[in-house]
Amino acid sequence: MSAAESATAIQKNQVDLLDFIDWSGVECLNQSSTHSLSNALKQGYREDEGLNLESDADEQLLIYIPFTQVIKLHSIVVMGSEEEGPKTVKLFANREHMGFSNVNDFPPSDTAVLSPDNIKGKPVVLKYVKFQNVRSLTIFIEDNQSSSEITKVQKIALYGSTVETTDMKGLKKIEDH
Amino acid sequence: MVLEATMICIDNSEWMRNGDYAPSRFQAQADAVNLICGAKTQSNPENTVGVLTMAGKGVRVLVTPTSDLGKILACMHGLEIGGEMNLAAGIQVAQLALKHRQNKKQQQRIIVFAGSPVTHEKKALEMIGKKLKKNSVALDIVNFGDDDEGKTEKLEALLAAVNNNDTSHIVHVPAGPNALSDVLISTPIFTGDGEGGSGFAASAATAAAGGVSGFEFGVDPNLDPELALALRVSMEEERARQEAAAKKAAEEASKQEKSAEEQDATMTERGNEGASEADNKKNEISDDDDTSLQQALAMSMDEPASSQDLQDIEMSDAAAEDPELALALQLSVQDSTKDSSSQADMNKLLADQSFVSSILASLPGVDPNDPSVKEVLASMQNQSESQQKPDEDKVPKKEEEK
């Protein structure tokens, strides 16, 4: 049931937020230089199973994604392999320049523990109310499915809607008088 | 030109009183720090540098990352020597200081001067290194002083843990006549990962490199800096001029390549005798090496037809690969310099038959006994003579050809 719900929700009014990512500000801490964030985020790269985002010194990853517009985040898809894919994913809305040291100082906007289904592509529906006014998103991948040294992420996709488009429609209605 | 925030960790422990680095380890270190601050702030005006001391009563931040060079230099005054260096704490405090930098877009870098023994375990240092790497902080280590208790090993292990894509470096400076600053200038710590660094660093580097590693122009920059500078500047100017000339020749070559076939040998001669001696020398050196050396030789060889020579140098590079192309290029060179006075000189030389045939013999891919070459030679001779001395030499030349 919930799977059907989320699927239809995605079809209805949620779009892939790939177009609204501000690529100049995207950062990823502890990524391996050969397997970088683009492999997981960018169109085409993320569909390729051979191209992964990999962690470097240990299994944690801290991804910072700013957006060009204010958006509402509905759900995310995090795909990876069964052993080395991410498990605990914490999301922070509108927190800039976090580091690994202060990542546990704030409560996350939402936490997702990825099941094997999720890791294969099933979207995780988030607490929508927490993500109504998102300028930037920080994704903290705390550990992976099998607690191995390296975390490998094949795909990260964000689904939601933009805030500004809604506002424009609202303006038009007023002008009709 | 990378936008960077740097924290410099200074060792002000008791070991710094030692005089094995002139005038004392501490003074040498201070000089090096001053130089690094200058280089960093010059390479990008938005760079910031901070300083902290690791020994004394404890780790103390003297100045938080700032782009104000005066403030940084001022804080270096009145530093006291004493205590033991705490490397781990120093690095961690540096990391914290960088974390709170004002401009988050700056890359983070820590430069550590390790002039006294390292008491930490290798494991502990590796953990610190890993943490730095995780937070994308680069680390440069200046290892000087004595190597006791496996200091070098430990520092190398630390570097290996931190290093991500060669952004971190370690430099070992042994005690000796060379100042600490001079040795550092030529390292990537100064030059910033091979970008070329600032003009400041580059000019200091060439001066130091000239002094240390044997004299680029045969002149000791320490003894006669003005002369060394003048030589270097003139070399660079000449290089720039040659590049411009080469570009121009290349453009013309592409236009005239097709029509060059028949008169190839002719043009080859003209080109070569204008820079004949220089060319032979260059061929000996081997065209594929060191264009700059060839250019320098050309310049010293043949001043009047200098622009001619330079174009021929580029030609001789091509000649090794494709004789026809070389000939075509030389044709275009000839056309472009038709009005130069050296043309007259060339024609005179051309008149000397023996000289010309010796040139031809030295050319790659041109066989003087080839009938087509001989034909062209004849027609060329006629042409050149008609330009200069209308009738007189024509008849004897013709007879020689026959």
Side-chain angles (χ1 to χ4, degrees):
Chain A
M1 258 261 289
S2 60
E5 260 180 43
S6 54
T8 45
I10 286 172
Q11 287 160 13
K12 270 184 190 173
N13 55 353
Q14 307 301 334
V15 295
D16 188 338
L17 296 172
L18 187 63
D19 301 326
F20 303 107
I21 294 179
D22 176 12
W23 292 100
S24 63
V26 166
E27 277 170 22
C28 180
L29 288 184
N30 200 29
Q31 64 180 334
S32 147
S33 46
T34 44
H35 298 87
S36 66
L37 184 58
S38 330
N39 289 350
L41 271 185
K42 283 199 175 163
Q43 191 66 39
Y45 292 93
R46 62 185 188 178
E47 307 304 335
D48 187 343
E49 282 187 18
L51 292 175
N52 295 332
L53 161 67
E54 286 184 18
S55 67
D56 196 2
D58 61 10
E59 75 281 2
Q60 297 184 339
L61 281 163
L62 193 60
I63 302 166
Y64 173 71
I65 302 174
F67 297 101
T68 53
Q69 290 188 22
V70 178
I71 52 124
K72 301 183 202 239
L73 190 62
H74 178 269
S75 55
I76 59 166
V77 169
V78 179
M79 279 177 70
S81 67
E82 276 178 24
E83 297 92 37
E84 284 143 339
K87 189 160 109 189
T88 311
V89 176
K90 290 186 177 168
L91 297 161
F92 300 85
N94 298 330
R95 290 239 182 254
E96 318 245 297
H97 303 116
M98 292 187 77
F100 287 104
S101 46
N102 63 352
V103 80
N104 289 316
D105 295 344
F106 313 109
S109 307
D110 201 356
T111 309
V113 179
L114 301 175
S115 65
D117 279 345
N118 293 124
I119 216 77
K120 286 299 158 203
K122 183 175 154 214
V124 177
V125 180
L126 304 168
K127 288 181 194 156
Y128 202 36
V129 290
K130 298 267 187 179
F131 295 100
Q132 287 297 301
N133 205 347
V134 178
R135 273 227 157 265
S136 72
L137 183 67
T138 304
I139 304 174
F140 173 48
I141 297 177
E142 201 167 0
D143 52 24
N144 53 41
Q145 297 284 330
S146 60
S147 302
S148 64
E149 278 280 314
I150 296 181
T151 302
K152 294 185 184 172
V153 185
Q154 189 220 315
K155 173 178 174 180
I156 297 177
L158 307 167
Y159 294 98
S161 55
T162 56
V163 170
E164 278 173 357
T165 33
T166 322
D167 285 345
M168 284 306 291
K169 283 177 191 167
L171 276 172
K172 272 187 187 170
K173 278 184 184 167
I174 293 167
E175 275 172 346
D176 278 344
H177 284 304
Chain B
M1 292 297 284
V2 180
L3 185 56
E4 225 175 31
T6 310
M7 274 306 285
I8 304 184
C9 302
I10 294 183
D11 182 359
N12 60 333
S13 63
E14 283 290 342
W15 282 262
M16 291 293 122
R17 290 190 205 275
N18 198 332
D20 50 1
Y21 295 79
S24 75
R25 282 191 200 174
F26 187 72
Q27 199 49 48
Q29 189 187 209
D31 290 339
V33 170
N34 290 341
L35 271 174
I36 290 179
C37 294
K40 292 285 178 198
T41 45
Q42 266 210 11
S43 77
N44 186 328
E46 287 188 38
N47 278 351
T48 55
V49 181
V51 178
L52 62 78
T53 52
M54 292 191 285
K57 288 195 183 142
V59 176
R60 189 162 70 98
V61 176
L62 298 173
V63 57
T64 56
T66 170
S67 51
D68 184 355
L69 189 58
K71 208 167 160 190
I72 301 165
L73 297 178
C75 83
M76 295 289 296
H77 282 298
L79 279 180
E80 286 176 6
I81 298 181
E84 275 184 30
M85 166 180 84
N86 187 346
L87 184 62
I91 293 179
Q92 282 167 340
V93 172
Q95 192 184 351
L96 195 62
L98 285 173
K99 199 172 119 179
H100 293 287
R101 64 196 187 284
Q102 295 212 320
N103 183 355
K104 300 290 178 188
K105 291 214 181 284
Q106 289 167 327
Q107 302 276 344
Q108 303 173 70
R109 180 174 292 275
I110 300 177
I111 304 181
V112 171
F113 284 84
S116 51
V118 174
T119 49
H120 305 281
E121 291 295 321
K122 203 158 117 175
K123 284 273 175 198
L125 291 175
E126 281 175 356
M127 292 286 292
I128 292 175
K130 256 181 107 176
K131 202 166 148 224
L132 287 176
K133 180 152 90 156
K134 200 172 161 189
N135 287 292
S136 78
V137 179
L139 178 66
D140 289 334
I141 307 173
V142 180
N143 177 15
F144 62 111
D146 304 314
D147 176 29
D148 32 31
E149 295 169 20
K151 182 178 163 200
T152 308
E153 245 188 84
K154 288 179 185 173
L155 292 177
E156 292 276 5
L158 173 59
L159 185 86
V162 175
N163 205 354
N164 182 11
N165 254 357
D166 268 346
T167 50
S168 302
H169 315 96
I170 184 169
V171 181
H172 306 279
V173 186
N178 307 324
L180 185 61
S181 340
D182 291 341
V183 177
L184 281 181
I185 279 173
S186 53
T187 59
I189 291 181
F190 238 96
T191 58
D193 298 339
E195 306 160 342
S198 61
F200 176 98
S203 59
T206 38
V212 170
S213 61
F215 310 174
E216 202 178 353
F217 296 105
V219 174
D220 183 355
N222 293 330
L223 291 178
D224 198 345
E226 288 158 344
L227 180 55
L229 180 66
L231 285 169
R232 199 176 71 241
V233 167
S234 63
M235 189 67 186
E236 285 166 10
E237 275 178 349
E238 196 50 56
R239 212 172 282 156
R241 192 157 64 81
Q242 286 161 15
E243 278 167 22
K247 270 181 203 165
K248 193 174 135 211
E251 280 169 14
E252 286 164 355
S254 59
K255 286 179 208 164
Q256 301 189 9
E257 218 181 41
K258 288 172 188 174
S259 60
E261 294 287 305
E262 281 182 23
Q263 299 179 12
D264 281 355
T266 308
M267 299 312 145
T268 307
E269 282 175 33
R270 284 195 184 174
N272 270 320
E273 41 80 359
S276 55
E277 293 141 7
D279 246 3
N280 284 339
K281 272 231 166 163
K282 284 165 219 148
N283 287 336
E284 284 166 8
I285 291 169
S286 122
D287 302 328
D288 293 331
D289 287 336
D290 206 1
T291 316
S292 59
L293 179 56
Q294 291 178 3
Q295 290 165 352
L297 276 172
M299 285 182 323
S300 61
M301 289 264 137
D302 206 352
E303 280 304 287
S306 54
S307 64
Q308 190 78 38
D309 292 345
L310 304 174
Q311 288 160 346
D312 287 331
I313 294 156
E314 323 302 65
M315 306 317 151
S316 50
D317 279 341
E321 304 156 81
D322 190 351
E324 280 184 1
L325 178 59
L327 298 173
L329 285 171
Q330 281 162 351
L331 163 66
S332 65
V333 165
Q334 293 306 318
D335 287 343
S336 69
T337 56
K338 240 178 188 162
D339 296 333
S340 70
S341 60
S342 57
Q343 191 72 8
D345 294 333
M346 290 187 325
N347 287 335
K348 282 179 191 164
L349 284 173
L350 265 177
D352 187 347
Q353 175 65 12
S354 58
F355 189 78
V356 163
S357 45
S358 73
I359 303 300
L360 273 182
S362 74
L363 279 178
V366 174
D367 182 2
N369 296 325
D370 192 348
S372 59
V373 170
K374 276 189 171 171
E375 248 178 42
V376 175
L377 194 69
S379 60
M380 187 277 303
Q381 290 285 0
N382 294 339
Q383 263 185 11
S384 66
E385 296 319 314
S386 65
Q387 284 174 15
Q388 238 190 2
K389 303 167 189 172
D391 293 315
E392 286 175 27
D393 296 339
K394 234 187 193 178
V395 173
K397 290 299 171 191
K398 275 187 182 170
E399 284 175 4
E400 281 177 26
E401 252 81 75
K402 289 174 190 167

